[in-house]
């Protein structure tokens, strides 16, 4: 019988991610587990090697570095000095042999006994217990994270809302939405009977004898400027109409706002819809209504209805 043990190998994506790697292809970090190429990125475990402390890839180092990693992520968010992790040079490894015994090794020493299997079994069971019924009880009192305190008054005010109402389907609050829409110049057209200025459940649009066209588009924000994102989202939806030789008539907006204080959501809504309305006006398309929700990031899209002169189209 033979037992052949080899080192761990780095995945190809690690060397392709743009961060400095060692000769074996693992990400190089400092003892704070920050990557040498970007101190805002951390790496640990089997993806990384601490400069000056090259060790074999095994769970011992991954577990202990994980403790430092968890603390340092919190410390950097609070702007506090980071901890250092110095990996041990030797470790105890125990391999069960399937016959009630185990082989233990540390450095150049190795031995096989039954009680080593009992020790390994106890260690493994205790480890699993720590992550199941052994987990500590969650605190009953609300504790404000230190990272939220550093973020400022807005973050603290947002945390005071113990039970945030998501409305029907996590809609944005009616007051926030109403205040935002009052600040926006909404484009319209003669065909619009009931539009965005009303509080009806549906928009009403006159339909003539020409052929009707419809399209829908929606995507996440790819830039941080809400006004320009609104313009891009609207133009992206309108481009489908233009590509088919259609005249856009009415648009329904689909808006997702990031979870934030009402005044911040209102301003984001104003900026996104103002940019979108500018693009709609340029295409002579009316905004007749829409729907809003809260999410982890801004997103926007439009359902657009238009008409086509079949005689002059490319169909």
């Amino acid at each position: 019988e033979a037992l052949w043990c080899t080192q761990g190998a780095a995945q190809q994506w690690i060397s392709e991610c743009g961060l400095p790697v060692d000769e074996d292809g693992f990400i190089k970090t400092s003892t704070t587990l920050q990557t040498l190429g970007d101190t805002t990125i951390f790496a640990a475990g089997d993806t990384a090697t601490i400069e000056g402390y090259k060790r074999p890839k095994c769970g011992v180092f991954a577990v202990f570095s994980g403790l430092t990693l968890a603390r340092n992520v919190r410390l950097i968010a609070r702007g506090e000095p980071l901890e250092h992790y110095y990996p041990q040079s030797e470790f105890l490894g125990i391999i069960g042999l399937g016959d009630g015994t185990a082989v233990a090794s540390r450095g150049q020493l190795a031995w096989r006994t039954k009680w080593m299997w009992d020790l390994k079994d106890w260690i493994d069971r205790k480890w699993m217990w720590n992550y199941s019924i052994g987990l500590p009880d969650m605190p009953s009192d609300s504790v404000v994270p230190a990272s939220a305190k550093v973020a400022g008054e807005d973050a603290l005010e947002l945390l005071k809302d113990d039970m945030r109402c998501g409305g029907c389907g996590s809609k944005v609050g009616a007051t926030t939405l109403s205040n935002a829409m009052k600040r926006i110049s909404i484009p319209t057209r003669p065909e619009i009977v009931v539009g965005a200025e009303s509080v009806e459940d549906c928009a009403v649009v006159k339909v003539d004898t020409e052929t009707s066209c419809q399209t829908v588009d929606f995507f996440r924000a790819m830039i941080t400027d809400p006004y320009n994102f609104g313009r891009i989202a609207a133009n992206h939806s309108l481009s489908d109409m233009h590509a088919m030789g259609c005249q856009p008539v009415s648009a329904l907006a689909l808006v997702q706002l990031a979870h934030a204080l009402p005044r911040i959501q209102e301003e984001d809504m104003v900026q996104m819809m103002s940019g979108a309305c500018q693009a709609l006006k340029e295409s002579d398309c009316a905004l007749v209504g829409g729907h809003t929700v809260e999410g982890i990031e801004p997103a926007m899209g439009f359902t657009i209805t238009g008409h086509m002169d079949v005689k002059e189209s490319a169909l």
Side-chain angles (χ1 to χ4, degrees):
E1 296 181 357
L3 187 64
W4 187 13
C5 297
T6 63
Q7 272 281 21
Q11 294 289 317
Q12 184 176 351
W13 67 265
I14 296 178
S15 59
E16 296 174 349
C17 69
L19 295 170
V21 297
D22 64 9
E23 63 274 13
D24 297 319
F26 296 101
I27 299 172
K28 292 197 292 186
T29 74
S30 64
T31 53
T32 59
L33 305 181
Q34 294 168 291
T35 63
L36 300 187
D38 188 335
T39 57
T40 64
I41 301 176
F42 291 81
D46 291 348
T47 64
T49 296
I50 300 175
E51 191 171 47
Y53 296 90
K54 187 173 182 178
R55 299 289 186 269
K57 302 303 176 189
C58 70
V60 172
F61 302 113
V63 169
F64 283 105
S65 65
L67 299 175
T68 303
L69 175 64
R71 287 192 288 265
N72 280 353
V73 169
R74 292 174 172 83
L75 289 170
I76 197 171
R78 297 197 295 260
E80 299 177 10
L82 305 187
E83 296 182 4
H84 294 266
Y85 168 63
Y86 302 100
Q88 62 204 68
S89 57
E90 295 182 351
F91 62 94
L92 176 65
I94 306 177
I95 301 177
L97 300 180
D99 60 357
T101 65
V103 172
S105 64
R106 183 182 177 91
Q108 300 299 316
L109 301 177
W111 63 100
R112 173 185 177 181
T113 65
K114 180 182 183 305
W115 68 266
M116 273 297 171
W117 165 252
D118 294 334
L119 176 61
K120 175 176 173 58
D121 185 60
W122 177 82
I123 292 173
D124 290 345
R125 290 180 184 277
K126 184 176 184 299
W127 176 267
M128 296 306 298
W129 180 85
N130 287 336
Y131 285 90
S132 53
I133 60 176
L135 289 171
D137 294 332
M138 297 293 288
S140 56
D141 296 330
S142 179
V143 178
V144 178
S147 56
K149 295 179 181 178
V150 174
E153 293 299 322
D154 286 347
L156 294 175
E157 186 177 343
L158 193 58
L159 289 174
K160 292 178 183 177
D161 191 356
D162 293 331
M163 185 61 72
R164 184 179 182 88
C165 178
C168 300
S170 298
K171 290 181 182 178
V172 173
T175 301
T176 301
L177 179 60
S178 176
N179 290 341
M181 295 305 293
K182 290 176 182 177
R183 298 169 55 190
I184 299 168
S185 176
I186 300 175
T188 188
R189 284 176 59 97
E191 297 96 330
I192 308 304
V193 178
V194 176
E197 75 287 346
S198 73
V199 293
E200 298 296 338
D201 293 323
C202 295
V204 179
V205 182
K206 290 181 182 178
V207 179
D208 55 27
T209 58
E210 295 178 309
T211 301
S212 177
C213 311
Q214 290 184 316
T215 185
V216 62
D217 223 325
F218 185 86
F219 48 78
R220 296 153 47 187
M222 74 298 293
I223 58 174
T224 57
D225 185 332
Y227 180 87
N228 282 325
F229 171 55
R231 282 181 60 88
I232 292 172
N235 277 318
H236 197 272
S237 299
L238 289 165
S239 66
D240 293 337
M241 283 282 173
H242 299 322
M244 293 291 292
C246 303
Q247 169 58 52
V249 174
S250 64
L252 293 169
L254 306 172
V255 182
Q256 176 172 292
L257 297 177
H259 181 68
L261 294 173
R263 59 181 174 80
I264 296 177
Q265 286 189 330
E266 178 183 331
E267 189 60 33
D268 286 345
M269 180 75 173
V270 169
Q271 293 301 319
M272 290 169 65
M273 289 305 302
S274 294
C277 285
Q278 180 60 37
L280 293 173
K281 288 177 182 178
E282 292 169 358
S283 290
D284 194 19
C285 180
L287 178 69
V288 295
H291 188 79
T292 59
V293 295
E294 285 188 341
I296 61 173
E297 62 183 347
M300 194 176 204
F302 292 87
T303 298
I304 298 180
T305 300
H307 59 68
M308 172 194 295
D309 186 338
V310 179
K311 297 179 180 180
E312 297 183 3
S313 75
L315 294 178

